[in-house]
Amino acid sequence: MSLPELLPLLVCPADRGPLLLVGDELLYNPRLHRAYRIDDGIPVLLVNEARDVGDAEHDRLIAAADPR
């Protein structure tokens, strides 16, 4: 299965909500403004590995997110 196919099954480890797929670079939680990287096609869904996202980057990520 590809990452887009798995997306409905993946949730944010912090709030258990859905994530947005942004290209093949990251999964994004717009509610918490937290980004989770994807390494070699494998999501790194660890709270302590996520990074905070500022307002300008938030807008960019929302615009670039896969609309699925």
Side-chain angles (χ1 to χ4, degrees):
M1 270 187 142
S2 69
L3 193 53
E5 292 171 325
L6 289 175
L7 188 61
L9 304 174
L10 299 175
V11 297
C12 174
D15 74 356
R16 302 308 225 195
L19 296 164
L20 300 176
L21 179 61
V22 181
D24 60 358
E25 68 180 275
L26 58 85
L27 292 167
Y28 182 57
N29 179 334
R31 297 164 308 284
L32 300 179
H33 289 230
R34 302 282 288 169
Y36 297 89
R37 75 180 189 280
I38 299 171
D39 287 342
D40 295 323
I42 300 169
V44 180
L45 294 175
L46 302 170
V47 172
N48 63 341
E49 293 283 328
R51 65 178 175 83
D52 293 324
V53 170
D55 290 336
E57 187 179 8
H58 168 80
D59 293 339
R60 181 187 69 80
L61 293 175
I62 294 295
D66 189 329
R68 291 176 208 235

